[in-house]
Amino acid sequence: MTVSGRSDLGTPAPAASGETVTLTIDGQPVEVEAGSSVMRAAAIAGTEIPKLCATDSLKAFGSCRLCLVEIEGRKGTPASCTTPVEDGMAVTTQSPRLEKLRRGVMELYISDHPLDCLTCAANGDCELQDRAGQVGLREVRYGYEGENHLSRGKDETNPYFTFDGSKCIVCSRCVRACDEVQGTLALTVDGRGFASVIAAGADEGFFESECVSCGACVQACPTATLTEKTIIDHGQPDHSVITTCAYCGVGCSFEAEMKGGEVVRMTPHKNGGANEGHSCVKGRFAWGYATHRDRILSPMIRESTDQPWREVSWDEAIGFAADRFKIIQEQYGKGAIGGVTSSRCTNEEVFVVQKMVRAAFANNNVDTCARVCHSPTGYGLKQTFGTSAGTQDFKSVGSADVILVCGANPTDAHPVFASRMKRRLREGAKLIVIDPRRIDLVRSPHIEAAHHLQLRPGTNVAVVNAMAHVIVTEGLVDEAFVADRCDTVSFERWKAFIADPANSPEALEADSGVPAQTVREAARLYATGGNGAIYYGLGVTEHSQGSSMVMGLANLAMATGNIGREGVGVNPLRGQNNVQGSCDMGSFPHELPGYRHISDTETRASFEKLWGVTLEKEPGLRIPNMFSAALDGTFRGMFIQGEDLAQSDPDTENVDAALQAMDCVVVQDLFLNETAAFAHVFLPGTSFLEKDGTFTNAERRINRVRPVKPPLQGLSEWETVCRLATAMGYDMSYPDAAAIMDEIAATTPSFAGVSFDRLDREGSLQWPCNEAAPDGTPVMHRDAFVRGEGQFMLTAYVPTEERSSRSFPLLLTTGRILSQYNVGAQTRRTQNSRWHDEDVLEIHASDAEMRGVRDGDLVALSSRKGSTTLHARISDRVPPGVVYTTFHHPETGANVVTTENSDWATNCPEYKVTAVEVAPSNMPSAWSRKRRERQQKSVRIDAAE
Ligand code: SF4
Ligand code: SF4
Ligand code: SF4
Ligand code: FES
């Protein structure tokens, strides 16, 4: 239960059939969907039948026997949770017989329950307590002395929740939540009858078990057995605010449950369109960073980066930054400064930064961290479909028959969506995984990929072309769809190109390392297996051919008719919470909000009129161009919103040198991150708990982010930016964040129907939301592509220049892990680090043995760009010749070794392929020693004060 006291209808809604059934509950007629349970029908009619093992997020189980009812014409007292409704049924929910039976059941439960209600953490939020009251239990005739479970101990190993076995009623809601909702199957009921106990793994506690700490079991538990430690420490919440998770692009809705001004629990919101009541460990538990002692709450400045920081007023910090930027522009021209927007910030915060750059800086030197993740998605999907966004809502995966996961690791990076996907896979959908590494989805409880195409890093396009070749040459094209929906000239040209034997699986096998027969079988399955849905991640985009691969996947979907309805589509799984939104808001140097090219006179004119300025019509600099220009001495000032370029961008030494070369680096962030070591001005930012605005998730869903407390540092981020723009000479102000969204809606056609008022009324909206689509657009390209006809693009496979060599014989690829998030700035400041406190290098046993490396050894990882050290983990997840690491810890500096190679169309870095060598080591790298020295200088307060 939560403080909002959400209703629980007891059993889930039945599959929609359009049919209804009429029955009477205690004499009152009620009409419900066919397939509903009697319990659900009663709840809809307003009668709450007592229940313990039932809850409407789980299938009915029928174990507690508390929900008994009488049904006219039937013998006995059936359980209402497992009894389906029938037309004309007459149900009685209350009678002396039922009262007696229910009290008897409750008596048994209570006689084996510690009666410490007044000091129990669940006091006031316990279904067992509520049910005892509901059935009118007044005495326990059996006493409390018999055989019982009261001495069962506690498992406190999980950092976020406790399992107190003495309070368990073995209703198995936790086990079923783990199976049905999360799909991890970490819990079991051990033993039988009276000896039954809930177990997480054989002997180990929750922490060491398969449990991924999603918290679904805690939420499902009707007693205090599974309880959040924050609730044990602080007590029950007294009010709640609905908001959105600030981690990944799934965009889960939460009730931030508060006690006074502090959050005591984050409960996934049942009506959240993206998550429907589920969450992962990050969103549910890892929010403590928001009040971490490392947070900077005062603006700070310093003349040069070898000086300590000095705390100053907002006015002084903003004035200092504006003066420096103005001096740079006077000396080096107006194009000598620029800004970077953050995909962690709200749409409103991003919108004002790009507006500040365009209107106050008077150039288009604005880029976003999406440059280094999904910019090829923007390019590729716009070319083929006409808009830079995923085609489906998350629900759609429930109708997929074949799911192709390419270069994505949903169970780690998009866990709540992964749970939906796993549910569909357990129902029988087939899975194709294209990934150099054996991700969890390849084989997990009740799931096994039909095909794992374990390709060599850098050969995505070879594989997608080979699949398309099979589809074209084996007559598997959906000719009717292509003729009806696609540009046939581009199709014929593509068909001739892809049918060339050079694109056959056999011809490309040597490059990709994937057996031709496996490619053929996977292609046939995708083309003929029913609804085919593609989900992809950074393993597609972060390559020298990232844009080609996105277009290759789009070609595949169009050729097989897998676009424009439920269960199909091409879907980028966005990394950060607002990658979609930051791109939508005009963060790219060539595009105004809504992906309209800056060179378009009419679009420019509409903004010029509203903003009262003349806009530059030439695109500005991308992030890598800004760095190059900084090293050339022509680009000298940068405003960086919530983005740690020095940790997240490739070729760290080059990034460091570029930042060091600038005269004014302004960082707006929560913490003194790696980039702040090069900054002259630090403008403290707000956590998501203090933000008022919107995030747009991977399914184009615009969700409200509501403040649960005022900004701890005193100023909204958008206000800070407005004040900086004003100090630069361009008056910019808004009464509130809602007014910024009103401006977005007024200037951006796909957002025309969006406002805070509407979002507050309706919960969320998926763009396009305008006159043509007043209710938003869950599935795109239904009747026609946004660009009219789907465009097939040629995707010639060009091997990357990054090849293994004698000096660097291994290929490094990178990725994320569930418990940490990106550069780790947030999650490293939570208990999540207990699962992953350092980045390690996965290496195959044969490669390790050849180099004398043992499991756990410190190794030097070197490329032509640099060297770092980390511990090795021998793993068969990677094939020989491939090594893998995560990039969450700045001490490791995984990007010290990544290169300057990037996508041909968008400059998205080629993070996923770096030729490296691994060798045993006994000391930190030179880079890490340099970093330590820099950190020591970048102390917070002037020691002289
Ligand atoms: S831990 Fe909670 S949900 Fe699980 S069986 Fe025990 S009482 Fe039920
Ligand atoms: S926290 Fe999640 S994964 Fe762990 S046991 Fe509970 S439901 Fe399963
Ligand atoms: S899946 Fe993503 S959005 Fe949802 S709770 Fe986890 S991190 Fe947050
Ligand atoms: S609620 Fe129906 S048997 Fe438990």
Side-chain angles (χ1 to χ4, degrees):
M1 207 195 291
T2 65
V3 284
S4 63
R6 67 173 178 84
S7 67
D8 183 343
L9 299 178
T11 60
S17 64
E19 287 173 33
T20 58
V21 164
T22 302
L23 68 160
T24 61
I25 305 282
D26 298 328
Q28 295 297 319
V30 54
E31 187 180 351
V32 294
E33 279 180 88
S36 300
S37 67
V38 168
M39 175 180 279
R40 188 175 175 90
I44 289 168
T47 300
E48 193 189 358
I49 299 173
K51 60 183 187 301
L52 275 173
C53 69
T55 181
D56 59 11
S57 57
L58 302 171
K59 286 183 210 145
F61 191 58
S63 70
C64 74
R65 309 299 296 166
L66 194 63
C67 67
L68 309 177
V69 289
E70 291 167 355
I71 298 176
E72 204 174 271
R74 288 204 197 173
K75 283 192 192 148
T77 50
S80 61
C81 63
T82 50
T83 306
V85 290
E86 284 174 18
D87 237 348
M89 197 179 239
V91 178
T92 300
T93 69
Q94 199 62 25
S95 72
R97 175 166 71 145
L98 290 172
E99 261 182 34
K100 192 170 168 212
L101 284 168
R102 288 178 189 151
R103 280 188 193 152
V105 170
M106 280 310 295
E107 231 180 317
L108 282 171
Y109 277 121
I110 297 300
S111 68
D112 190 9
H113 200 77
L115 295 180
D116 58 356
C117 292
L118 290 183
T119 53
C120 177
N123 191 11
D125 185 26
C126 172
E127 291 185 42
L128 190 68
Q129 199 179 46
D130 294 347
R131 296 295 88 92
Q134 193 182 6
V135 304
L137 186 68
R138 297 291 173 257
E139 60 172 345
V140 177
R141 288 164 298 164
Y142 313 115
Y144 304 100
E145 308 309 323
E147 202 181 349
N148 60 45
H149 301 93
L150 302 181
S151 58
R152 284 207 178 128
K154 285 186 186 174
D155 174 356
E156 308 231 43
T157 56
N158 186 288
Y160 296 118
F161 58 83
T162 296
F163 176 87
D164 180 350
S166 70
K167 299 195 170 182
C168 179
I169 58 170
V170 202
C171 64
S172 90
R173 273 164 63 162
C174 53
V175 180
R176 289 178 284 137
C178 192
D179 295 359
E180 295 173 28
V181 179
Q182 165 58 23
T184 294
L185 287 76
L187 299 178
T188 49
V189 184
D190 263 7
R192 288 171 159 264
F194 186 78
S196 305
V197 286
I198 300 300
D203 289 321
E204 70 267 39
F206 274 84
F207 189 71
E208 293 296 331
S209 73
E210 295 294 310
C211 167
V212 293
S213 222
C214 71
C217 56
V218 183
Q219 190 172 333
C221 182
T223 67
T225 314
L226 284 159
T227 306
E228 297 88 351
K229 288 185 176 173
T230 47
I231 295 294
I232 294 173
D233 290 346
H234 303 292
Q236 293 294 326
D238 49 44
H239 67 285
S240 70
V241 177
I242 295 172
T243 189
T244 305
C245 177
Y247 283 116
C248 85
V250 176
C252 297
S253 291
F254 278 89
E255 286 178 65
E257 298 192 79
M258 313 282 297
K259 196 173 177 70
E262 294 306 321
V263 177
V264 291
R265 177 164 61 196
M266 293 291 280
T267 301
H269 188 36
K270 201 175 173 184
N271 297 332
N275 56 321
E276 295 176 330
H278 190 35
S279 75
C280 80
V281 61
K282 294 189 284 285
R284 193 191 291 260
F285 295 121
W287 36 269
Y289 71 89
T291 48
H292 194 276
R293 63 181 177 281
D294 286 354
R295 236 185 107 174
I296 305 293
L297 298 176
S298 295
M300 302 192 297
I301 60 172
R302 56 182 174 177
E303 289 295 326
S304 62
T305 57
D306 57 1
Q307 290 181 356
W309 287 104
R310 192 159 58 85
E311 287 187 1
V312 294
S313 67
W314 280 105
D315 281 345
E316 187 174 349
I318 289 167
F320 182 92
D323 288 348
R324 282 216 167 179
F325 280 155
K326 283 193 278 191
I327 291 168
I328 291 171
Q329 287 193 307
E330 276 161 24
Q331 286 185 355
Y332 299 96
K334 64 182 180 181
I337 62 172
V340 175
T341 69
S342 170
S343 298
R344 299 214 302 261
C345 291
T346 63
N347 287 318
E348 295 70 20
E349 290 165 343
V350 168
F351 184 86
V352 294
V353 171
Q354 63 86 34
K355 179 174 174 179
M356 171 178 75
V357 171
R358 295 199 155 99
F361 293 7
N363 63 46
N364 289 312
N365 292 337
V366 62
D367 207 355
T368 173
C369 49
R371 170 71 52 213
V372 299
C373 66
H374 268 291
S375 50
T377 290
Y379 181 87
L381 295 186
K382 182 143 193 197
Q383 297 296 313
T384 47
F385 299 161
T387 197
S388 306
T391 61
Q392 313 295 118
D393 60 359
F394 290 144
K395 259 193 200 140
S396 162
V397 77
S399 309
D401 300 308
V402 179
I403 300 172
L404 192 160
V405 176
C406 184
N409 186 3
T411 49
D412 278 73
H414 304 90
V416 167
F417 175 67
S419 291
R420 273 186 197 267
M421 185 187 273
K422 287 198 289 186
R423 205 174 308 146
R424 183 62 189 151
L425 291 169
R426 289 197 305 274
E427 285 166 2
K430 298 280 186 296
L431 174 67
I432 301 167
V433 173
I434 305 179
D435 203 295
R437 185 167 170 268
R438 198 190 71 233
I439 57 171
D440 280 348
L441 272 181
V442 171
R443 196 171 303 118
S444 56
H446 300 299
I447 290 171
E448 179 150 15
H451 303 288
H452 177 200
L453 279 52
Q454 199 166 16
L455 74 180
R456 191 163 292 132
T459 61
N460 280 340
V461 175
V463 170
V464 82
N465 281 355
M467 286 182 71
H469 176 91
V470 174
I471 287 164
V472 165
T473 55
E474 294 191 8
L476 305 178
V477 169
D478 184 338
E479 301 285 354
F481 181 89
V482 171
D484 192 34
R485 300 284 308 274
C486 302
D487 173 66
T488 44
V489 175
S490 72
F491 172 71
E492 291 302 334
R493 196 180 49 198
W494 174 77
K495 188 176 167 186
F497 153 76
I498 211 77
D500 190 298
N503 284 319
S504 72
E506 290 72 19
L508 293 165
E509 181 176 322
D511 269 37
S512 72
V514 185
Q517 190 55 24
T518 309
V519 174
R520 285 193 176 274
E521 283 170 15
R524 288 172 195 145
L525 177 61
Y526 173 71
T528 64
N531 284 340
I534 296 175
Y535 294 90
Y536 70 88
L538 304 183
V540 159
T541 54
E542 291 176 343
H543 285 273
S544 61
Q545 284 206 287
S547 292
S548 303
M549 184 60 184
V550 173
M551 294 189 291
L553 292 171
N555 290 339
L556 214 56
M558 288 189 290
T560 52
N562 278 314
I563 284 286
R565 61 180 189 279
E566 292 288 317
V568 299
V570 179
N571 297 286
L573 293 172
R574 307 291 189 154
Q576 306 203 69
N577 49 330
N578 201 31
V579 180
Q580 182 68 56
S582 74
C583 298
D584 301 343
M585 292 299 105
S587 292
F588 289 124
H590 66 291
E591 282 172 342
L592 285 158
Y595 304 101
R596 288 160 301 156
H597 205 278
I598 190 78
S599 63
D600 183 67
T601 311
E602 210 178 304
T603 307
R604 241 182 18 258
S606 67
F607 283 92
E608 287 173 338
K609 191 166 165 220
L610 195 69
W611 292 352
V613 289
T614 303
L615 296 175
E616 267 293 316
K617 64 173 186 246
E618 294 299 324
L621 298 175
R622 297 170 172 178
I623 293 170
N625 307 129
M626 293 183 203
F627 289 152
S628 303
L631 291 169
D632 290 347
T634 55
F635 186 85
R636 309 191 70 99
M638 202 173 198
F639 177 90
I640 304 167
Q641 176 190 40
E643 169 69 357
D644 196 357
L645 298 171
Q647 189 183 339
S648 62
D649 282 38
D651 192 359
T652 307
E653 301 236 30
N654 183 62
V655 175
D656 290 357
L659 291 168
Q660 189 71 60
M662 293 186 213
D663 301 327
C664 183
V665 173
V666 179
V667 165
Q668 185 178 39
D669 214 303
L670 297 179
F671 305 106
L672 278 176
N673 57 18
E674 298 296 300
T675 308
F678 302 94
H680 306 85
V681 181
F682 188 91
L683 302 173
T686 49
S687 78
F688 79 113
L689 296 173
E690 300 139 54
K691 290 185 191 295
D692 191 6
T694 54
F695 292 149
T696 307
N697 76 353
E699 43 166 11
R700 296 167 279 101
R701 187 184 298 278
I702 307 158
N703 275 315
R704 280 283 277 125
V705 186
R706 295 184 182 83
V708 304
K709 54 171 86 172
L712 294 188
Q713 25 63 304
L715 209 56
S716 294
E717 287 190 27
W718 61 263
E719 279 180 277
T720 311
V721 172
C722 286
R723 284 170 64 169
L724 178 57
T726 304
M728 291 285 295
Y730 176 76
D731 274 348
M732 198 158 111
S733 67
Y734 296 90
D736 49 32
I740 306 176
M741 177 51 85
D742 291 344
E743 186 169 315
I744 295 166
T747 53
T748 312
S750 50
F751 277 68
V754 182
S755 67
F756 278 20
D757 277 351
R758 207 172 153 200
L759 289 168
D760 289 342
R761 271 198 318 275
E762 298 178 31
S764 64
L765 290 164
Q766 286 170 273
W767 70 255
C769 176
N770 47 30
E771 226 178 331
D775 299 326
T777 312
V779 174
M780 292 193 86
H781 317 296
R782 272 193 187 274
D783 302 316
F785 285 96
V786 169
R787 69 179 301 287
E789 292 178 329
Q791 177 88 1
F792 282 85
M793 299 295 290
L794 301 190
T795 55
Y797 165 57
V798 181
T800 170
E801 287 168 16
E802 188 69 11
R803 312 228 172 109
S804 48
S805 62
R806 274 179 56 175
S807 308
F808 301 109
L810 301 169
L811 290 178
L812 169 75
T813 188
T814 58
R816 299 175 191 195
I817 201 156
L818 171 68
S819 54
Q820 295 287 355
Y821 173 71
N822 272 17
V823 295
Q826 296 144 288
T827 43
R828 280 187 283 108
R829 292 180 170 93
T830 69
Q831 294 279 328
N832 277 27
S833 285
R834 284 195 44 204
W835 284 280
H836 185 82
D837 59 358
E838 61 173 336
D839 295 317
V840 296
L841 187 77
E842 286 184 10
I843 183 168
H844 192 270
S846 59
D847 290 325
E849 194 183 346
M850 219 181 290
R851 291 163 176 80
V853 171
R854 289 158 309 175
D855 195 54
D857 278 357
L858 190 67
V859 292
L861 174 71
S862 314
S863 74
R864 63 186 166 83
K865 298 309 293 189
S867 180
T868 186
T869 47
L870 66 177
H871 289 100
R873 178 182 295 152
I874 313 283
S875 170
D876 62 359
R877 281 181 182 265
V878 286
V882 176
V883 289
Y884 168 89
T885 189
T886 48
F887 45 78
H888 304 302
H889 291 270
E891 298 79 14
T892 319
N895 283 320
V896 174
V897 299
T898 52
T899 71
E900 74 288 2
N901 291 347
S902 66
D903 174 45
W904 62 271
T906 65
N907 276 147
C908 180
E910 191 180 38
Y911 288 111
K912 302 297 182 190
V913 196
T914 308
V916 293
E917 179 54 301
V918 174
S921 170
N922 61 1
M923 55 188 281
S925 66
W927 172 81
S928 111
R929 289 197 299 274
K930 212 154 70 182
R931 172 183 176 270
R932 200 170 316 130
E933 279 163 28
R934 201 166 52 228
Q935 293 293 328
Q936 278 161 0
K937 277 188 201 147
S938 195
V939 291
R940 198 162 140 190
I941 307 293
D942 190 337
E945 285 193 354

